Amino acid sequence: NAGLSSARNKGLEQVSGDYLCFLDVDDIRPSWAFDTFARALRSQPCDVMLCQGMLSEIRGQLLPFYDIAIFQHLGVTMGEETTLHVGSDLYTQCLGLLYLLEPQSANKVIRTDFLKQRQLCFPNGHYFEDMFFHAMAISQATSVGIIQQPCFTYFRRYAQPQLTHSASAIRIDSLAVAQLTLEAF
């Protein structure tokens, strides 16, 4: 009962597979998503793999996720490449775009050894924890893969509580998480 970050961090301590990914209660994955991840990782292993998503509105309308324009820009910049490696010119060109991708938990698959070596975790006691985790994962990865195919759907729910869509003071915690992120850099 210590919050989402604490629960995720407890899970990170227990993970034993080669890769891990998250799925929140307001997300789903299509049945083929894990096969897509596995094929991509077999051909181009990487520390972090990012995928596009879909947004399901209250009336069932499916739209591209919030960061579709950034994925499109990455696609144009990367051309046929699917993986970026630290030190390459292409990585340098794309790094800013990687940080701009939506810091959503369901949009990434992370190599477990990388996660444990870098001691990546979520900031306990804060909302908007994905902002911190996303920035730390991108900044410390030596390779980042991109899947242009949507591999999750986020359900935006109206008239039901969703912390990040709240008008309460909880939204101000995004500033505290931004400060934690900047301090970590």
Side-chain angles (χ1 to χ4, degrees):
N1 293 327
L4 182 58
S5 290
S6 179
R8 286 183 179 174
N9 289 335
K10 187 58 113 176
L12 293 177
E13 292 172 10
Q14 305 302 316
V15 69
S16 61
D18 294 334
Y19 288 88
L20 72 99
C21 62
F22 297 94
L23 199 62
D24 290 341
V25 69
D26 49 9
D27 302 322
I28 62 167
R29 281 205 199 285
S31 58
W32 43 261
F34 290 110
D35 184 55
T36 300
F37 293 143
R39 280 186 283 115
L41 290 166
R42 273 193 297 276
S43 68
Q44 290 288 329
C46 57
D47 292 335
V48 177
M49 178 162 288
L50 299 160
C51 67
Q52 286 189 32
M54 297 298 292
L55 171 66
S56 177
E57 290 286 358
I58 188 73
R59 293 182 177 91
Q61 181 184 17
L62 270 179
L63 303 170
F65 200 61
Y66 306 120
D67 54 6
I68 184 65
I70 297 163
F71 268 104
Q72 289 171 340
H73 195 169
L74 277 167
V76 169
T77 305
M78 292 174 68
E80 297 296 315
E81 290 294 322
T82 59
T83 304
L84 302 164
H85 298 277
V86 169
S88 71
D89 290 340
L90 187 56
Y91 175 85
T92 303
Q93 287 178 302
C94 294
L95 183 58
L97 294 170
L98 295 175
Y99 284 118
L100 290 175
L101 289 172
E102 184 71 25
Q104 215 271 3
S105 62
N107 74 347
K108 54 188 68 62
V109 174
I110 303 196
R111 188 170 56 82
T112 304
D113 288 345
F114 160 73
L115 177 101
K116 289 184 176 190
Q117 289 167 355
R118 303 302 173 117
Q119 299 177 340
L120 292 181
C121 63
F122 293 87
N124 286 322
H126 289 283
Y127 299 99
F128 301 93
E129 67 288 331
D130 290 327
M131 289 170 39
F132 180 84
F133 189 83
H134 178 82
M136 294 301 102
I138 296 300
S139 70
Q140 295 184 38
T142 59
S143 55
V144 178
I146 302 293
I147 294 179
Q148 291 288 348
Q149 184 176 5
C151 289
F152 74 94
T153 300
Y154 168 73
F155 287 85
R156 189 155 76 181
R157 302 174 299 188
Y158 297 95
Q160 292 182 359
Q162 281 181 298
L163 293 175
T164 57
H165 287 96
S166 158
S168 73
I170 289 171
R171 294 200 50 83
I172 301 303
D173 198 43
S174 63
L175 298 175
V177 173
Q179 180 178 352
L180 284 173
T181 305
L182 292 172
E183 288 171 358
F185 276 92

